[in-house]
Amino acid sequence: MRATVLVRPKPGILDPQGEAVLGSLQQLGFAVDDARVGRVVDLELDEGDREQTRAELERMCEQLLANPLIESYEIELVEDA
Amino acid sequence: MRATVLVRPKPGILDPQGEAVLGSLQQLGFAVDDARVGRVVDLELDEGDREQTRAELERMCEQLLANPLIESYEIELVEDA
């Protein structure tokens, strides 16, 4: 089973990487009003119960993948074809 | 108009960050077989023609957001509600 976890800086939290990207894009002439940069983590997991796997992924996010104080996360489960 | 760009290391390309995440997750006792880490870039753009915006986003990826030699990118356009 594959999972994709998106980790983003929460609204209002300073995002220096996003500011740098925004500045560079504008300098290159692109019409961009805002940019925020986060992480995407693709995971390969053992096949298992969908709900259990989602709970496990939430624990991974809380413990390691995200900093829940300043980052939000979004979990997408992809069944293998 | 909002856009989400996912930038990932191409298959076969070394991903030290992914290896570190994989090792840490396994050490924490999680049953994970592989982990790859990339970036998610959320952009706020001026309202405009969908096809033109997508072409513009591809230029941003080629010029700044991704390194096309070692990274692949995926563009998702989100119409404002």
Side-chain angles (χ1 to χ4, degrees):
Chain A
M1 196 181 285
R2 281 179 303 126
T4 295
V5 178
L6 299 177
V7 181
R8 295 174 159 115
K10 284 188 180 173
I13 295 289
L14 211 65
D15 172 24
Q17 217 184 332
E19 282 173 34
V21 165
L22 177 63
S24 299
L25 284 174
Q26 288 174 338
Q27 212 151 8
L28 287 168
F30 292 110
V32 183
D33 298 319
D34 196 23
R36 306 277 287 173
V37 176
R39 294 186 301 287
V40 51
V41 184
D42 293 306
L43 297 169
E44 189 66 51
L45 306 154
D46 293 345
E47 220 52 46
D49 175 74
R50 219 178 155 78
E51 280 319 298
Q52 263 178 19
T53 304
R54 183 171 287 275
E56 187 102 332
L57 283 162
E58 272 177 36
R59 281 196 296 276
M60 292 184 209
C61 287
E62 297 284 336
Q63 287 183 36
L64 185 87
L65 300 179
N67 179 345
L69 279 178
I70 58 169
E71 293 172 324
S72 63
Y73 56 83
E74 195 180 318
I75 295 169
E76 289 168 31
L77 267 179
V78 188
E79 219 83 40
D80 283 329
Chain B
M1 196 182 285
R2 281 179 302 128
T4 295
V5 178
L6 299 178
V7 180
R8 296 175 158 113
K10 284 188 180 172
I13 295 289
L14 210 66
D15 171 23
Q17 218 184 333
E19 282 174 34
V21 165
L22 177 63
S24 299
L25 285 174
Q26 289 174 338
Q27 212 151 8
L28 287 168
F30 292 111
V32 182
D33 298 320
D34 196 22
R36 307 276 288 172
V37 175
R39 293 186 301 286
V40 51
V41 185
D42 292 306
L43 297 168
E44 189 65 52
L45 305 154
D46 292 345
E47 221 49 48
D49 176 75
R50 220 179 153 75
E51 280 319 298
Q52 263 177 19
T53 303
R54 183 170 287 276
E56 187 102 333
L57 282 162
E58 272 177 33
R59 282 195 297 276
M60 292 183 209
C61 287
E62 297 285 335
Q63 287 181 39
L64 184 87
L65 300 180
N67 177 345
L69 279 177
I70 57 169
E71 293 172 323
S72 63
Y73 56 84
E74 195 180 317
I75 295 169
E76 288 168 32
L77 267 180
V78 189
E79 219 83 42
D80 281 329

